[in-house]
Amino acid sequence: MTKKKKRQNPEAEDLLARPWCYYCERDFDDLKILIAHQKAKHYKCERCGRRLNTAGGLRVHMEQVHKEQLEAVDNALAGRESIDLEIFGTEGIPENEVNAHNQRILAAVAQREADRRAASGQSGNTPKRPKVDISRDLDPENIKKKLEAHKKAMAAAAAGSGVAGAGPGGVSPVSAVGGRSASPGKAGGYEQQQPPAAGFQNPAPAPFQQGAYPVPQAPAYPAAPVYSPQGQATYPAPYHQPPFQQPPASFGRGAPVPPGPGYTNFQPSGPHAAQPPFGPNGGPGYNPNPHNQFQSQQGPPPPQQHIPRAPSSLPQPHQIPGLPPRPNAPGLPPRPNFSGAPMNNPGFGRGGGGWNQQQQQGQGQMYPQTGGANSSFAGAGGYTPNGPLPQSYNQPSYPQQQQQPQLVSHSYQPHNTNGHGHAHGRGGGPITEENKPALETTQSRLPDAQPAEKKKGEREKPKRETKMVYADNEISPDEKRAMLPRYEYHPPKTVEVSN
Amino acid sequence: MSQPANQFELSGPPEDVISSLTFSPNNPSRLLVSSWDRNVHLYDTNAGLNGSKLTAFPHAASVLDCCFGETDSNVFSAGLDWQVQQLDPETGRGNTLATHENAVKSICYNAETKSLLSGSWDQSIKQIDPRSLESTSSHAQPHKIFSLSTISHILVVAMSSRSVYLYDLRNMSSPWQRRESSLKFMTRTVRCMPNAQGYASSSIEGRVAVEFFDPSDESQKRKYAFKCHRSTDGGVDVIYPVNALAFHPIYGTFASGGGDGVVSLWDGMAKRRLRQYQRYPASIAGLSFSNNGKHLAIGTSSGFEDGKDDGACPPESVKIIVRELQEGEGKGKGQ
């Protein structure tokens, strides 16, 4: 019964076995310490400092040595000052008090467990996944693959979108799309990894649409049709907008960096969704980047969010995702976040203020370019739900498109450099597997944060209610008494005195 | 309640709430008690088994404070009749020294300047020379005076709104120091340390502060306050006013008396509680050590201070208990 393990999370048995002081409800590591405590705090003679072993001993001592009557045990909690109990260590404590004490301990343990669960939200025991993701992300080969994919995407985008004529410009526009696509491309590399992750995520984070996203994205590369539909289907069904939003959120959580890529990828998708109408732009060319599209989709919504236009659901969701992850609860938080548009921005800020802008810009670009791709996706993925929303966004995005060149360049940088570099810096590894890391990170983060808070709460002793016997801070008791009729006094010469 | 052998109840207690009590600075058995029963009572605590009342000085209104002057035949009182009086123990008659514009809450006698100080709810203090009333001076204060205490040439004036002024009695034209009480609630009582290093003040919110006269930062850093006279009742902290303070004339420790009926002995230097006497059945209204430090007089009265909302004071709650301190009792740690 007295084995000691897991000091951090003591089990109820261990707690129950701890010796405790009846007078002050403190518990101790050892019975000897408890007895020393009682002698020092409760059985010490005020007069001569002699330490007795029990309240009765102290009473006799007081009577015989000091001729005084001991009436209460010192430093005892209210109601426990009685000197009639002969308590030594834990012996002599009334049984009902022992039971009450044990009940309190069990209740505290249960509460702590509940808090821990609430903190972690889901039974998040996947802290290791993020690391794996990170390593993957960091892996030079992966990076190279991503770069290649980006380049391809860029090229495709350039071809598809006549926006950027100049090399950089061309690149940038492509990158804008492609940049996101690039991230998608990376994602593609990751995708292989992601699919499993996605699968995992989906089960655990059921609430998290992100999981769904990741899955679709990952599959999209390898088998765009299958995954995309699934992911899309999942999204649209429960939360059309929310799902998309959530994914970004997951990214934000997983790693700031991932959000970048994630956004990019998603953004394209957003645009794509919007794009469907645009479809004409060049769906086929984009097809290779279905992932990108998804990402782009997400991306666009965020930009929209950033942009005043997007007040609607789409922008919020994206923003929300970024925010929710950080806040705490993996599952629950995201939704609340959705509601809060302002919050979204901060979330992006975390990912990287630059990212938001970039994303926005990228979106603008994305829209035109991705439009084709998106359309294809929309059709395939069944983003239709998203499609409508995106469309509304799309319109706003168009104006952005005009600015595309600049935007493109910006977007490009983020994707390549920022995406990786920032991602690493920010998120660490999560970038590669956006979905998984995000989920995992969110989970892990959330639990930690919440427990900490709980601990703090526990440490703070509940502030006792206080009652002041005399609470009038302006009029002294004597003045109050002087006002009583029976003390009324009329000075001989003047008016009434102090009535 | 069985009465411990080392304390006794003074016979012939006042009939109404005790407002203050003080031992003579010259005679360890002369105890002066002012009461809301419109009398000042003079006791000999040594007479007989339970002491005896020597004289009662009737007043026109309730008496709020009393003190000894230069000798035991110089007795002063002040109260709701706005007057500061000198009482003659021989005849029992009073002689008005000064008149305030409102009830006089507190008086004290400064032996160094041989002057009597009075503080009133009319927001003024008067410095009175009992031998030459012409030289009486009045000094306006910003708030009602709640408590006065003096030692050496220093006068501490505790007022409402947590204001505390320190005066140098040799120059009353302006306060020596203007302070804000370190307690957050109404000041109830202030008492100077016998060594003239500082003072203790108490508030209605179960707290006592110990502060020092020296305005230097070093000295001011030493000031502190502590909670006391509280009890828990069903998880609720009940906070009593601390009505009375008294310094031990020899050891420099002090006693505090609260609305909870508890008297505690404190070592202000070591920041330790020395003793806590068993609880008396009514609020502690006054405390005073005899000049030789061997007795502690404790006045108890029910009223607003112990939770009587109507200020009712059953006569049986009015008691004067004289507690004999044993050898070393009240001695601070390390003394």
Side-chain angles (χ1 to χ4, degrees):
Chain A
M1 288 296 286
T2 54
K3 45 189 167 184
K4 288 182 184 170
K5 54 182 178 181
K6 298 179 186 175
R7 277 216 148 192
Q8 307 264 336
N9 294 322
E11 292 177 1
E13 275 188 0
D14 301 327
L15 287 175
L16 289 174
R18 286 171 69 79
W20 60 286
C21 175
Y22 166 77
Y23 294 108
C24 60
E25 276 278 339
R26 242 180 94 174
D27 59 349
F28 299 85
D29 291 334
D30 192 282
L31 187 60
K32 284 181 184 172
I33 302 174
L34 165 61
I35 290 169
H37 155 85
Q38 288 179 333
K39 290 173 81 165
K41 291 286 180 188
H42 305 304
Y43 302 147
K44 185 175 168 185
C45 172
E46 267 191 348
R47 182 68 69 87
C48 66
R50 178 162 176 181
R51 296 166 185 214
L52 285 302
N53 279 326
T54 63
L58 178 59
R59 181 178 57 82
V60 171
H61 164 86
M62 294 286 279
E63 282 173 359
Q64 295 183 338
V65 180
H66 305 298
K67 315 289 187 230
E68 287 187 23
Q69 191 73 33
L70 181 69
E71 295 195 328
V73 174
D74 270 354
N75 305 313
L77 294 172
R80 298 203 176 172
E81 316 93 332
S82 168
I83 59 167
D84 298 331
L85 294 169
E86 195 78 3
I87 292 171
F88 180 73
T90 53
E91 292 174 32
I93 302 174
E95 194 169 336
N96 60 335
E97 292 290 351
V98 173
N99 291 336
H101 176 76
N102 290 344
Q103 284 299 326
R104 272 191 294 275
I105 290 179
L106 292 174
V109 170
Q111 181 62 40
R112 201 164 50 228
E113 278 300 314
D115 289 351
R116 196 174 294 140
R117 277 185 209 127
S120 60
Q122 312 151 351
S123 62
N125 292 329
T126 59
K128 290 178 182 177
R129 289 182 187 173
K131 293 179 181 177
V132 175
D133 296 343
I134 297 172
S135 65
R136 292 176 184 174
D137 292 345
L138 294 173
D139 181 15
E141 289 186 6
N142 283 339
I143 296 174
K144 284 179 184 176
K145 288 179 184 176
K146 291 179 183 178
L147 280 174
E148 289 177 4
H150 282 291
K151 286 177 183 175
K152 288 179 183 177
M154 299 274 293
S161 68
V163 177
V171 175
S172 64
V174 176
S175 66
V177 177
R180 298 168 185 182
S181 68
S183 62
K186 298 172 183 179
Y190 296 103
E191 288 171 0
Q192 294 175 352
Q193 300 170 349
Q194 291 177 349
F200 288 103
Q201 295 171 353
N202 290 338
F208 298 87
Q209 299 167 352
Q210 298 174 351
Y213 278 100
V215 177
Q217 293 176 352
Y221 286 98
V226 177
Y227 286 97
S228 62
Q230 294 176 348
Q232 294 172 352
T234 59
Y235 290 101
Y239 328 77
H240 298 294
Q241 300 172 351
F244 287 101
Q245 299 170 352
Q246 292 177 350
S250 67
F251 289 107
R253 297 175 183 176
V257 179
Y263 285 110
T264 57
N265 295 336
F266 287 99
Q267 291 173 353
S269 68
H272 294 295
Q275 289 171 359
F278 296 96
N281 288 343
Y286 290 91
N287 293 341
N289 300 331
H291 299 287
N292 296 338
Q293 293 174 353
F294 286 89
Q295 296 171 351
S296 65
Q297 290 175 352
Q298 295 175 348
Q304 292 175 353
Q305 297 171 352
H306 295 290
I307 304 165
R309 334 158 169 169
S312 66
S313 60
L314 291 180
Q316 294 175 351
H318 291 288
Q319 297 172 352
I320 297 168
L323 298 177
R326 295 175 184 175
N328 289 341
L332 301 175
R335 292 186 181 179
N337 293 332
F338 288 101
S339 62
M343 296 296 291
N344 296 334
N345 292 333
F348 286 107
R350 295 177 183 177
W355 285 98
N356 295 339
Q357 296 175 352
Q358 293 172 354
Q359 291 175 351
Q360 293 176 352
Q361 295 173 353
Q363 292 174 351
Q365 297 172 354
M366 295 297 288
Y367 288 103
Q369 295 176 350
T370 56
N374 290 340
S375 65
S376 66
F377 279 99
Y383 282 90
T384 51
N386 298 334
L389 298 173
Q391 290 176 354
S392 63
Y393 292 101
N394 293 338
Q395 294 176 353
S397 67
Y398 285 104
Q400 292 178 351
Q401 292 175 355
Q402 295 175 353
Q403 300 173 350
Q404 289 173 357
Q406 297 174 351
L407 297 176
V408 174
S409 65
H410 291 288
S411 65
Y412 207 36
Q413 295 173 350
H415 292 292
N416 293 338
T417 58
N418 293 346
H420 294 286
H422 290 287
H424 293 289
R426 298 172 184 172
I431 302 170
T432 57
E433 297 179 359
E434 298 170 354
N435 297 333
K436 295 178 180 180
L439 294 176
E440 294 172 355
T441 54
T442 57
Q443 292 176 353
S444 65
R445 289 179 184 178
L446 295 174
D448 293 344
Q450 291 182 351
E453 293 176 0
K454 294 173 184 176
K455 287 177 183 175
K456 289 178 183 175
E458 291 176 356
R459 285 172 193 167
E460 292 176 6
K461 290 182 180 175
K463 212 169 184 182
R464 271 189 194 152
E465 256 184 87
T466 59
K467 175 200 165 202
M468 284 177 62
V469 169
Y470 189 84
D472 191 334
N473 204 25
E474 297 304 319
I475 300 185
S476 66
D478 307 294
E479 288 170 282
K480 204 161 243 183
R481 179 167 293 281
M483 290 178 206
L484 296 176
R486 63 190 134 127
Y487 300 114
E488 200 171 338
Y489 172 74
H490 300 275
K493 296 175 183 175
T494 46
V495 200
E496 294 182 0
V497 183
S498 59
N499 292 348
Chain B
M1 181 174 88
S2 66
Q3 193 175 70
N6 55 353
Q7 72 177 34
F8 63 90
E9 248 181 73
L10 212 53
S11 62
E15 293 164 9
D16 204 343
V17 176
I18 292 169
S19 54
S20 86
L21 53 74
T22 176
F23 268 109
S24 159
N26 312 301
N27 184 333
S29 63
R30 286 288 182 282
L31 181 68
L32 197 61
V33 180
S34 63
S35 166
W36 286 79
D37 69 2
R38 307 189 181 201
N39 280 295
V40 170
H41 308 265
L42 181 62
Y43 295 92
D44 179 353
T45 59
N46 247 354
L49 206 55
N50 284 335
S52 70
K53 189 189 287 187
L54 298 176
T55 323
F57 307 92
H59 286 64
S62 298
V63 189
L64 294 182
D65 203 359
C66 60
C67 70
F68 284 97
E70 199 65 17
T71 68
D72 283 355
S73 55
N74 291 318
V75 178
F76 305 102
S77 71
L80 285 187
D81 59 4
W82 303 13
Q83 314 234 332
V84 180
Q85 296 192 50
Q86 177 165 8
L87 309 175
D88 183 348
E90 301 298 322
T91 64
R93 281 185 299 191
N95 174 28
T96 299
L97 297 179
T99 304
H100 278 270
E101 314 269 308
N102 202 330
V104 186
K105 173 65 180 71
S106 183
I107 58 172
C108 60
Y109 184 79
N110 182 274
E112 193 161 296
T113 59
K114 298 193 191 310
S115 61
L116 181 70
L117 290 311
S118 65
S120 161
W121 292 337
D122 71 359
Q123 306 185 5
S124 74
I125 56 175
K126 287 185 192 293
Q127 185 175 24
I128 303 159
D129 184 343
R131 296 159 301 182
S132 61
L133 297 180
E134 298 77 24
S135 61
T136 296
S137 59
S138 186
H139 310 275
Q141 304 298 315
H143 304 287
K144 294 175 291 194
I145 281 74
F146 283 157
S147 185
L148 297 178
S149 183
T150 182
I151 191 74
S152 181
H153 58 271
I154 297 165
L155 172 69
V156 183
V157 184
M159 291 171 272
S160 59
S161 303
R162 300 173 52 237
S163 188
V164 176
Y165 279 12
L166 306 187
Y167 278 94
D168 185 335
L169 288 173
R170 298 164 300 189
N171 177 14
M172 290 290 287
S173 57
S174 68
W176 171 38
Q177 291 179 45
R178 290 182 176 87
R179 294 188 181 182
E180 185 178 64
S181 169
S182 39
L183 303 174
K184 292 187 177 141
F185 289 83
M186 179 197 286
T187 309
R188 195 82 178 91
T189 305
V190 62
R191 284 293 177 268
C192 291
M193 300 176 187
N195 62 5
Q197 294 297 299
Y199 60 93
S201 60
S202 67
S203 80
I204 59 168
E205 192 252 348
R207 239 177 257 261
V208 171
V210 176
E211 299 184 47
F212 298 88
F213 293 136
D214 184 348
S216 72
D217 286 346
E218 296 169 21
S219 258
Q220 290 307 306
K221 273 182 191 165
R222 294 192 290 152
K223 77 177 178 188
Y224 64 92
F226 58 91
K227 291 195 260 190
C228 50
H229 300 287
R230 287 146 188 260
S231 65
T232 53
D233 180 17
V236 178
D237 252 354
V238 184
I239 302 168
Y240 294 89
V242 182
N243 304 315
L245 292 172
F247 274 92
H248 192 287
I250 295 167
Y251 299 128
T253 55
F254 63 94
S256 67
D260 53 355
V262 168
V263 175
S264 297
L265 235 54
W266 309 90
D267 182 345
M269 293 303 154
K271 301 185 183 177
R272 293 289 178 86
R273 188 176 74 188
L274 301 172
R275 290 296 313 270
Q276 178 162 314
Y277 298 129
Q278 46 186 283
R279 185 174 189 149
Y280 295 97
S283 170
I284 306 300
L287 288 173
S288 179
F289 284 100
S290 64
N291 68 338
N292 58 10
K294 291 195 172 155
H295 291 88
L296 173 62
I298 301 162
T300 71
S301 306
S302 267
F304 296 109
E305 294 89 342
D306 55 5
K308 305 282 188 300
D309 288 339
D310 55 357
C313 177
E316 63 270 19
S317 73
V318 180
K319 287 178 184 167
I320 299 166
I321 292 135
V322 178
R323 187 180 183 94
E324 184 184 348
L325 302 187
Q326 298 178 349
E327 195 60 36
E329 189 174 350
K331 197 172 183 176
K333 311 247 173 183
Q335 283 183 334

